[in-house]
Amino acid sequence: MLTLRFLHMINIIAVGNLKDKWIKEGCAEYAKRLGSWGGLTVTECAEQRLPDDPSQAQIDAALEKEGRDILSRIKGDSAVVALCIEGDMLSSEELSGKLDSFMQHGKSTIYVIIGSSYGLSDTVKKRADLRLSMSRMTFPHRLARVMICEQLYRAMSISHGTKYHK
């Protein structure tokens, strides 16, 4: 495999706030590790409040409002990866290759989007350069955040030929 020495600025935009200390610490650890390869930032967007038993119209309206907020935070011609259930399931090596491909095509800034428990709006999914599914299993969104941080670090480790990925 060709080792590519690209710098990526990775920005996670996540709907909702983390409250669990251990998850915050895990994300911070991977952000620190990614610092030598460009860096990682996390931006939290407000989750729209919905009633206990929302209608589909209420869910759609909330997703569209969250989607406008998300899209307003994406700068320029950056690459966008949307985490969604209908996305592609990739190996760590394949994810690394996709991130490198973004860089080869002039997109050194990558936004990874994590929606609310109801997902992402269609407008965000349409903006995505890659729709990514982490698994067919369901995970809490806060756990998905630390999992994607680890996978981003693993992908960069693969690109840079370090021993982290086995």
Side-chain angles (χ1 to χ4, degrees):
M1 172 165 79
L2 175 66
T3 300
L4 303 170
R5 304 271 179 209
F6 295 144
L7 292 179
H8 295 277
M9 184 61 208
I10 301 173
N11 303 285
I12 294 176
I13 300 175
V15 176
N17 299 323
L18 282 182
K19 295 175 180 75
D20 301 303
K21 181 180 176 186
W22 67 273
I23 293 177
K24 286 181 183 180
E25 290 172 349
C27 291
E29 176 62 26
Y30 290 112
K32 182 177 94 177
R33 292 180 185 194
L34 281 162
S36 61
W37 297 321
L40 172 74
T41 63
V42 177
T43 302
E44 295 177 335
C45 296
E47 184 173 2
Q48 296 301 300
R49 300 282 180 207
L50 289 168
D52 287 340
D53 189 21
S55 68
Q56 189 60 52
Q58 290 171 313
I59 293 169
D60 292 343
L63 290 177
E64 282 305 315
K65 189 169 184 181
E66 291 168 356
R68 284 190 301 274
D69 188 15
I70 290 166
L71 292 174
S72 73
R73 297 167 187 269
I74 297 172
K75 308 290 187 246
D77 187 31
S78 303
V80 175
V81 177
L83 295 184
C84 50
I85 196 164
E86 70 275 13
D88 297 329
M89 283 188 264
L90 304 177
S91 68
S92 297
E93 294 88 353
E94 290 169 327
L95 178 60
S96 177
K98 290 280 188 184
L99 299 180
D100 286 340
S101 177
F102 292 147
M103 182 65 177
Q104 290 172 343
H105 290 93
K107 296 182 178 188
S108 60
T109 301
I110 299 166
Y111 288 88
V112 178
I113 313 301
I114 304 172
S116 69
S117 60
Y118 289 101
L120 292 167
S121 70
D122 286 338
T123 55
V124 171
K125 292 178 190 179
K126 286 176 185 170
R127 170 59 181 87
D129 299 287
L130 171 63
R131 293 181 189 185
L132 179 66
S133 174
M134 294 175 62
S135 172
R136 290 191 322 227
M137 292 184 279
T138 302
F139 300 105
H141 285 232
R142 64 187 189 275
L143 183 57
R145 192 180 311 184
V146 75
M147 290 170 62
I148 196 64
C149 287
E150 189 280 336
Q151 282 299 298
L152 291 167
Y153 175 69
R154 183 176 297 275
M156 291 294 99
S157 296
I158 292 168
S159 293
H160 291 83
T162 70
K163 294 181 182 181
Y164 180 78
H165 179 69
K166 297 175 175 75

